[in-house]
Amino acid sequence: MATKDSRIFNAWGGAGSKSPYETEAQTDGDWRADSKAEGLKGKGAGGKGHHRRNSSSLARWFSNFGKTPEPADAEPEDDIILNHAEDVDVARFTSDLLNDGYRYSTKSLLKAVEVPNADLEEIGGEFGHVERIRASLDSLSLRRDSPSSTALTPRAVWESATAWSVSESNALSEDAERLALGHSPRMEAVEGAGSNLGWGGDVGSTRRSSYRVLWDTLTKKQERKEKTPRKQKCPVDFVKATVLSLKPHPAAFATSVPLRKNLAALEGDSRALAALMKDLSKHGASNRAGMMFDMIRAVGREDPEDPVAALADLYTYTTAISQCGYTNQRLNRALEIFSEMKARGITTNIHAYSALMGVCVKQNECNVAISIFRELEADGVEPNLVTYNILVDAYNKLGMLQSSVEALEQIKGRGLLPEARTYNSVISACGKANKGKLALEVYNLMLKDGVGPTNTTFTSAISACGRWGMVDEAMDLYRSMPSMGCQPNVITFSSLISVCERVGDMGLALTVLDEMIAMGVAPNLVTYNGLLGCFAKAGAWQDALKTVEEMQSKRIDLDSTSYSAVVTACSRAVPAKWREAITYAEEGAKMGYKLEAGTFTSLLGCLWSTGGYAMQRRALQMLSKGGDANQIKIRFNEACESSVTSDSASACCLAMLSWITGYRQDLRSASTYNKPFRSLVISQGKYACVGSAKEDVTGALKAMIASFSIPAHVIDTGKGRVIKTDARHIATWILTPPAYLVKSLLDIEGPPVKGGRNGRPWSAGFASTTSSTAALQHSQALIKDEGTHFAQCDRAMTAINAFEASEGMFSRVPQRNIDAFNASIELRHSIIQVIVNMSGALNLNETICHDSVQISNKLLAHGVAHQLPPPPSCAAALLLISCRINGVPNLMLKNGQTLEASFDVNVEDALHAESIIKQMLGSKPRAISPIRVLSLMLNLLYSNEAVRTNVLIDALFTNATGLVSVAAVDASLAFTPPSIVAAACLSTCLEQSGMNPWPTLLFELTGISEHDERLVNTLARIRT
């Protein structure tokens, strides 16, 4: 053994008396002999004797101090062991003893410690007071004179029991006793392990392992107790537990004895109770806090001397008032509590007034808050900065911006300095009131007063500039943020993109987004919604759909604003992407989102502008259902004024027609003529177009009014349109044919038409579906049917385009051909006249007649008019060629008698003239006349034959066919491609019918824009 422990044991070894616990066979001589032979750390067979003699030497050393051992019936005090064992660091004092296997008697050590000794005092000075060492030894007393494998003597058993006095509540003592008696499972495990490892009869090693297990048990027990000290509950904890355990009912709180008892234990500490009330409100238990306070007030009214009544003072009353703002419609309670404070004589300080004002502002009773502020000034209460902040909030909510700015000066006049929150509130209010310049003035005042701006300051100022259209100023604020010690965050960037959205600057918005990503700031839903808004105003539907895909890839769910923006972007596209628009609209409806009113009408306009019967029918159904959903409002009110929000020209026209026809019901009322003037206010929506992308809505409305001779006029207000009418004139107009046409147009919505495309009846769509899921399924079916039909029409249009490209007379006509054609205008007129008469006599269809006219135009352009047969024979030959092209040559050949009788032309003459014309053309004759293209276009728009029962649509077919016939005779249109002629004729008839003059479906089919130069020139010729 080393150092100090060696000196201790050397001193012990010199003692000569016996210990009363030592067996008779143990002597000092035996110990010396064994010690010389085996050493202090004997092993093997000598281990037993060595350990026993070592223990005897310790006992004899203790007896040399002249102390008499304790009587046999004396027991150590367990309290000392239990109370002080945790406080003694016994590791350093006993580690070598335990590791070397020495045993000692607790009682002998206790007796020896009482005698002054230099070495012992040195140990006590290093490890603590001697009494603490005694407690340590008591906690480690394991008197055993025999190894664990040897049976204990009765005296040893008694010593172990009396040294520990094991009780059921002391788990540590129980474990120690089991170790001492050799029955500890951990000790048996160690001994067993030692046997397996070859330790066999090394009892000393086994005992040392057993002590190691005991040592680990004691130290772990000690560490666990030190880490988890017992925590004493304070009275507030008991109050909180009681409050949370009660039912949330006033009667439960009023009759709770435990609650009253625990409140009394607070001994009038109202500040602690106020803190508890705030904590309850913070965790959603404000109602319970209020009930507890009501119980305290009730106690005070019954017995003012009760200790609980003392808790109702300034602190708790103020807290109770402020908590009224956590729930709605609690202002009455706040005012009642405040009045009770004054009635009880409790001084109402500035905190109570501020709390009451805060509740008023939260409940939107800002006028009351201002009145309270004036009252506190009249009472001589000095307002603080918190009070002024609440006052500024009240002014801002009322729109009293000038009063807010004046409040800033009042604050400085009282020696206070407005904080950043005060300025931020005023700047934000200026932005909401579209006062961007005033917001910048307040911002500059803030810098002048030496108040540092925050991120909220910049965000509010940027938003205010954006509402006023001050893009450059907003960007300057953004650029100055780093110099002010602020870094742009996601809110700042979102505000900037919203500014770009308001002015429709999509390029700047994308630039800001790139800078945002470069700075490592991730876009959120608000950022993407602002970006979608920019795309919506520009009609950039592809960018909008890509953004939606990016949001979905980042697991950002779309909301109502997202769906509205993407639907608007698809509706504004050129051509309008009505399929994508209606899909996203009804997908949003399935998710429970309603479109913004302007977006809803844009979708209506998008569907109506397609020109297709199915889509227009769907638009009218949505118009009917949208009125019920308050997405579009067309109502007659007492002021005789109706309103609708729309940015689409088609939607505005549709809404106007619906509004006009609504007079049928209104005119039945006698009060109509008392207030004859009516007006429809059409306001702009959120995504109104700006700049060159803005539609001429006013022009479309005027054209619609002129088409149907409606007695109304349009006023453009700059931010919308107002349509004014006189009910007396409308009553006369309703009886005219144009009004009947309008009614027919809106009757497209009528009962479902049987025999829709693919054999399915048309569904009533929005008007009949009971769920958004069914509406979405209906739209998907509509898109599928229209897609199939459009593909068929598109294949036919491809063939028409190929024909026009191959025929030189439609693309690149030489001047000599034009001159030759002009020289034979009279001959062409004579031939066409015979063709028309002959077609009527033979009952040939219009297609054959028009194809014959087109072939005659091509023939005359070759300059061979002088070589042609006479007009009757030429006309018969041209009709025969057209019949062969259409696969019905027998229609001419079997009517030879009619030809000869009516036109003096026999079949042989027609066949001879046919051979001459084919030689002149030089190739196999082909013809696709404008009426063929017109038939294809009408079939695309109105494929179902049942729609011809509608008067307006039937009139459209008749007028368009007649107009194409007139255009076919016009020599100035002879070299115009048939698709252009057909498009111009149909567009003219659609416009006259009050419909979209160039539907989206026709643009998709032909690729011809309504601004195409050839179409514009042809329209001008046809209209004249």
PDB file of all heavy atoms in Angstrom, residues 597-613:
ATOM      1  N   ALA A 597     -63.534  37.164 -56.839  1.00  0.00           N
ATOM      2  CA  ALA A 597     -64.640  37.551 -57.718  1.00  0.00           C
ATOM      3  C   ALA A 597     -64.149  37.901 -59.121  1.00  0.00           C
ATOM      4  O   ALA A 597     -64.743  37.479 -60.124  1.00  0.00           O
ATOM      5  CB  ALA A 597     -65.399  38.731 -57.109  1.00  0.00           C
ATOM      6  N   GLY A 598     -63.064  38.667 -59.215  1.00  0.00           N
ATOM      7  CA  GLY A 598     -62.537  39.014 -60.524  1.00  0.00           C
ATOM      8  C   GLY A 598     -62.063  37.799 -61.291  1.00  0.00           C
ATOM      9  O   GLY A 598     -62.236  37.707 -62.512  1.00  0.00           O
ATOM     10  N   THR A 599     -61.455  36.848 -60.596  1.00  0.00           N
ATOM     11  CA  THR A 599     -60.997  35.619 -61.244  1.00  0.00           C
ATOM     12  C   THR A 599     -62.174  34.791 -61.727  1.00  0.00           C
ATOM     13  O   THR A 599     -62.143  34.187 -62.802  1.00  0.00           O
ATOM     14  CB  THR A 599     -60.141  34.801 -60.263  1.00  0.00           C
ATOM     15  OG1 THR A 599     -59.032  35.585 -59.851  1.00  0.00           O
ATOM     16  CG2 THR A 599     -59.647  33.528 -60.907  1.00  0.00           C
ATOM     17  N   PHE A 600     -63.232  34.760 -60.918  1.00  0.00           N
ATOM     18  CA  PHE A 600     -64.416  33.991 -61.300  1.00  0.00           C
ATOM     19  C   PHE A 600     -65.012  34.524 -62.600  1.00  0.00           C
ATOM     20  O   PHE A 600     -65.345  33.761 -63.511  1.00  0.00           O
ATOM     21  CB  PHE A 600     -65.439  34.044 -60.170  1.00  0.00           C
ATOM     22  CG  PHE A 600     -66.660  33.205 -60.410  1.00  0.00           C
ATOM     23  CD1 PHE A 600     -66.631  31.839 -60.204  1.00  0.00           C
ATOM     24  CD2 PHE A 600     -67.833  33.784 -60.853  1.00  0.00           C
ATOM     25  CE1 PHE A 600     -67.747  31.061 -60.435  1.00  0.00           C
ATOM     26  CE2 PHE A 600     -68.958  33.022 -61.084  1.00  0.00           C
ATOM     27  CZ  PHE A 600     -68.920  31.655 -60.870  1.00  0.00           C
ATOM     28  N   THR A 601     -65.142  35.834 -62.697  1.00  0.00           N
ATOM     29  CA  THR A 601     -65.689  36.399 -63.929  1.00  0.00           C
ATOM     30  C   THR A 601     -64.702  36.249 -65.091  1.00  0.00           C
ATOM     31  O   THR A 601     -65.120  36.106 -66.242  1.00  0.00           O
ATOM     32  CB  THR A 601     -66.039  37.880 -63.731  1.00  0.00           C
ATOM     33  OG1 THR A 601     -64.891  38.581 -63.224  1.00  0.00           O
ATOM     34  CG2 THR A 601     -67.179  38.035 -62.751  1.00  0.00           C
ATOM     35  N   SER A 602     -63.404  36.252 -64.799  1.00  0.00           N
ATOM     36  CA  SER A 602     -62.427  35.999 -65.857  1.00  0.00           C
ATOM     37  C   SER A 602     -62.578  34.587 -66.406  1.00  0.00           C
ATOM     38  O   SER A 602     -62.458  34.361 -67.616  1.00  0.00           O
ATOM     39  CB  SER A 602     -61.005  36.207 -65.334  1.00  0.00           C
ATOM     40  OG  SER A 602     -60.774  37.562 -65.007  1.00  0.00           O
ATOM     41  N   LEU A 603     -62.861  33.642 -65.519  1.00  0.00           N
ATOM     42  CA  LEU A 603     -63.097  32.270 -65.962  1.00  0.00           C
ATOM     43  C   LEU A 603     -64.370  32.187 -66.802  1.00  0.00           C
ATOM     44  O   LEU A 603     -64.411  31.482 -67.822  1.00  0.00           O
ATOM     45  CB  LEU A 603     -63.194  31.350 -64.750  1.00  0.00           C
ATOM     46  CG  LEU A 603     -63.478  29.869 -65.039  1.00  0.00           C
ATOM     47  CD1 LEU A 603     -62.396  29.277 -65.931  1.00  0.00           C
ATOM     48  CD2 LEU A 603     -63.594  29.080 -63.747  1.00  0.00           C
ATOM     49  N   LEU A 604     -65.408  32.906 -66.385  1.00  0.00           N
ATOM     50  CA  LEU A 604     -66.631  32.957 -67.181  1.00  0.00           C
ATOM     51  C   LEU A 604     -66.336  33.515 -68.577  1.00  0.00           C
ATOM     52  O   LEU A 604     -66.789  32.969 -69.590  1.00  0.00           O
ATOM     53  CB  LEU A 604     -67.683  33.820 -66.486  1.00  0.00           C
ATOM     54  CG  LEU A 604     -68.271  33.319 -65.170  1.00  0.00           C
ATOM     55  CD1 LEU A 604     -69.358  34.273 -64.692  1.00  0.00           C
ATOM     56  CD2 LEU A 604     -68.822  31.917 -65.304  1.00  0.00           C
ATOM     57  N   GLY A 605     -65.576  34.608 -68.601  1.00  0.00           N
ATOM     58  CA  GLY A 605     -65.230  35.199 -69.886  1.00  0.00           C
ATOM     59  C   GLY A 605     -64.384  34.280 -70.730  1.00  0.00           C
ATOM     60  O   GLY A 605     -64.534  34.213 -71.954  1.00  0.00           O
ATOM     61  N   CYS A 606     -63.501  33.532 -70.080  1.00  0.00           N
ATOM     62  CA  CYS A 606     -62.644  32.588 -70.799  1.00  0.00           C
ATOM     63  C   CYS A 606     -63.489  31.506 -71.461  1.00  0.00           C
ATOM     64  O   CYS A 606     -63.293  31.167 -72.637  1.00  0.00           O
ATOM     65  CB  CYS A 606     -61.633  31.985 -69.833  1.00  0.00           C
ATOM     66  SG  CYS A 606     -60.649  30.638 -70.506  1.00  0.00           S
ATOM     67  N   LEU A 607     -64.438  30.944 -70.724  1.00  0.00           N
ATOM     68  CA  LEU A 607     -65.305  29.900 -71.280  1.00  0.00           C
ATOM     69  C   LEU A 607     -66.218  30.469 -72.370  1.00  0.00           C
ATOM     70  O   LEU A 607     -66.444  29.828 -73.403  1.00  0.00           O
ATOM     71  CB  LEU A 607     -66.136  29.265 -70.166  1.00  0.00           C
ATOM     72  CG  LEU A 607     -65.356  28.460 -69.119  1.00  0.00           C
ATOM     73  CD1 LEU A 607     -66.274  27.991 -68.016  1.00  0.00           C
ATOM     74  CD2 LEU A 607     -64.651  27.271 -69.755  1.00  0.00           C
ATOM     75  N   TRP A 608     -66.741  31.672 -72.130  1.00  0.00           N
ATOM     76  CA  TRP A 608     -67.642  32.268 -73.113  1.00  0.00           C
ATOM     77  C   TRP A 608     -66.898  32.620 -74.399  1.00  0.00           C
ATOM     78  O   TRP A 608     -67.424  32.474 -75.503  1.00  0.00           O
ATOM     79  CB  TRP A 608     -68.300  33.510 -72.518  1.00  0.00           C
ATOM     80  CG  TRP A 608     -69.363  34.085 -73.388  1.00  0.00           C
ATOM     81  CD1 TRP A 608     -69.247  35.144 -74.242  1.00  0.00           C
ATOM     82  CD2 TRP A 608     -70.705  33.628 -73.510  1.00  0.00           C
ATOM     83  NE1 TRP A 608     -70.433  35.386 -74.881  1.00  0.00           N
ATOM     84  CE2 TRP A 608     -71.362  34.469 -74.452  1.00  0.00           C
ATOM     85  CE3 TRP A 608     -71.439  32.609 -72.910  1.00  0.00           C
ATOM     86  CZ2 TRP A 608     -72.681  34.303 -74.798  1.00  0.00           C
ATOM     87  CZ3 TRP A 608     -72.767  32.450 -73.257  1.00  0.00           C
ATOM     88  CH2 TRP A 608     -73.373  33.290 -74.189  1.00  0.00           C
ATOM     89  N   SER A 609     -65.655  33.074 -74.256  1.00  0.00           N
ATOM     90  CA  SER A 609     -64.900  33.504 -75.431  1.00  0.00           C
ATOM     91  C   SER A 609     -64.428  32.336 -76.285  1.00  0.00           C
ATOM     92  O   SER A 609     -63.963  32.547 -77.409  1.00  0.00           O
ATOM     93  CB  SER A 609     -63.683  34.332 -75.006  1.00  0.00           C
ATOM     94  OG  SER A 609     -62.783  33.543 -74.245  1.00  0.00           O
ATOM     95  N   THR A 610     -64.537  31.091 -75.790  1.00  0.00           N
ATOM     96  CA  THR A 610     -64.179  29.952 -76.641  1.00  0.00           C
ATOM     97  C   THR A 610     -65.121  29.859 -77.834  1.00  0.00           C
ATOM     98  O   THR A 610     -64.731  29.368 -78.895  1.00  0.00           O
ATOM     99  CB  THR A 610     -64.244  28.645 -75.841  1.00  0.00           C
ATOM    100  OG1 THR A 610     -65.579  28.445 -75.345  1.00  0.00           O
ATOM    101  CG2 THR A 610     -63.258  28.659 -74.691  1.00  0.00           C
ATOM    102  N   GLY A 611     -66.350  30.326 -77.667  1.00  0.00           N
ATOM    103  CA  GLY A 611     -67.321  30.251 -78.751  1.00  0.00           C
ATOM    104  C   GLY A 611     -68.003  28.914 -78.858  1.00  0.00           C
ATOM    105  O   GLY A 611     -68.968  28.763 -79.617  1.00  0.00           O
ATOM    106  N   GLY A 612     -67.533  27.909 -78.129  1.00  0.00           N
ATOM    107  CA  GLY A 612     -68.131  26.583 -78.186  1.00  0.00           C
ATOM    108  C   GLY A 612     -69.417  26.513 -77.375  1.00  0.00           C
ATOM    109  O   GLY A 612     -69.525  27.100 -76.291  1.00  0.00           O
ATOM    110  N   TYR A 613     -70.387  25.776 -77.920  1.00  0.00           N
ATOM    111  CA  TYR A 613     -71.676  25.672 -77.248  1.00  0.00           C
ATOM    112  C   TYR A 613     -71.535  25.100 -75.844  1.00  0.00           C
ATOM    113  O   TYR A 613     -72.097  25.646 -74.882  1.00  0.00           O
ATOM    114  CB  TYR A 613     -72.622  24.793 -78.076  1.00  0.00           C
ATOM    115  CG  TYR A 613     -73.804  24.292 -77.300  1.00  0.00           C
ATOM    116  CD1 TYR A 613     -74.860  25.141 -76.990  1.00  0.00           C
ATOM    117  CD2 TYR A 613     -73.859  22.971 -76.852  1.00  0.00           C
ATOM    118  CE1 TYR A 613     -75.952  24.690 -76.269  1.00  0.00           C
ATOM    119  CE2 TYR A 613     -74.944  22.510 -76.128  1.00  0.00           C
ATOM    120  CZ  TYR A 613     -75.992  23.374 -75.850  1.00  0.00           C
ATOM    121  OH  TYR A 613     -77.053  22.920 -75.132  1.00  0.00           O
TER     122      TYR A 613
END
